[in-house]
Amino acid sequence: LEGFVEQLEETVEASRQAIEILEEMESEEEDEFNKLFSEDSYAVEMFAEATDGRYTDINYDKASGTLKVEKKTGEVIEPQKLSQGTYDLLYMSIRLGLAKEILDEPGFLILDNAFVHSDIERVEKEIEFLKELEEEGWQIIYFTFRDDVKELIEKYSTVEELERL
């Protein structure tokens, strides 16, 4: 009986230690995830700049499991209340921020009509972000059906005859 009780106590202690380790890992993971939305993060910077400062922050609400964006007025709204172009830009900013955070060095991106709902002025800003990534060493392939976007990208590309690609 004493051996059984001792074994149970060891199992309980091992379980407590495992729970502590898992809680610590969860906390570290949450800290890493929150870095994606820190004020100086790439995602927040890109989103704010591409919206001409109309939106100043991106936050993740852990309790509800949802994203929120903050307007320069201080109002906090859910992404579903954004225009389609701004909504697409938000998630593109997050995807690019994630890519930079995960890889921690230049990598390879394939974008398929990422700016489909953006007007041409916003597309120009978004292309500026892609140019900055390219200057950092990122390889980017961008697919589009929009002629205006293709013409803008052609200005920066060294690939000839983009139409055939």
Side-chain angles (χ1 to χ4, degrees):
L1 187 61
E2 287 176 11
F4 178 71
V5 169
E6 188 176 306
Q7 185 180 9
L8 277 178
E9 288 174 348
E10 289 174 5
T11 302
V12 167
E13 182 57 30
S15 296
R16 281 190 195 130
Q17 289 176 358
I19 288 170
E20 285 178 22
I21 290 169
L22 290 172
E23 286 173 345
E24 186 177 319
M25 287 173 59
E26 180 181 30
S27 177
E28 288 173 5
E29 224 172 84
E30 186 175 311
D31 289 344
E32 287 295 315
F33 186 72
N34 287 332
K35 277 180 20 182
L36 181 63
F37 303 118
S38 66
E39 280 185 40
D40 61 343
S41 75
Y42 184 82
V44 171
E45 178 186 312
M46 179 184 172
F47 187 61
E49 191 173 319
T51 61
D52 292 322
R54 287 188 307 275
Y55 298 94
T56 59
D57 205 359
I58 304 169
N59 296 295
Y60 176 72
D61 181 14
K62 184 179 178 185
S64 65
T66 60
L67 287 174
K68 309 266 184 183
V69 295
E70 186 174 330
K71 291 181 159 187
K72 70 178 175 183
T73 62
E75 180 185 1
V76 177
I77 62 172
E78 295 178 356
Q80 295 80 358
K81 295 183 179 177
L82 299 170
S83 70
Q84 186 64 51
T86 305
Y87 181 90
D88 290 348
L89 176 60
L90 170 65
Y91 284 97
M92 168 120 175
S93 301
I94 292 169
R95 285 191 302 272
L96 293 178
L98 271 171
K100 288 184 71 122
E101 189 68 32
I102 290 170
L103 295 178
D104 199 31
E105 63 183 50
F108 187 83
L109 295 171
I110 298 176
L111 304 172
D112 184 12
N113 277 321
F115 313 137
V116 71
H117 297 289
S118 296
D119 59 32
I120 198 65
E121 291 81 20
R122 186 169 286 165
V123 170
E124 288 173 346
K125 290 178 186 175
E126 293 162 338
I127 288 174
E128 287 297 320
F129 280 98
L130 295 181
K131 281 179 27 188
E132 289 173 19
L133 289 173
E134 188 269 335
E135 289 168 6
E136 291 175 17
W138 288 79
Q139 300 293 309
I140 302 166
I141 295 178
Y142 186 91
F143 294 98
T144 187
F145 62 85
R146 287 179 52 180
D147 289 333
D148 57 346
V149 173
K150 182 181 91 65
E151 289 168 12
L152 280 172
I153 291 174
E154 282 179 330
K155 293 178 186 177
Y156 305 107
S157 177
T158 57
V159 177
E160 294 183 22
E161 297 184 45
L162 288 177
E163 190 73 37
R164 291 189 203 180
L165 290 176

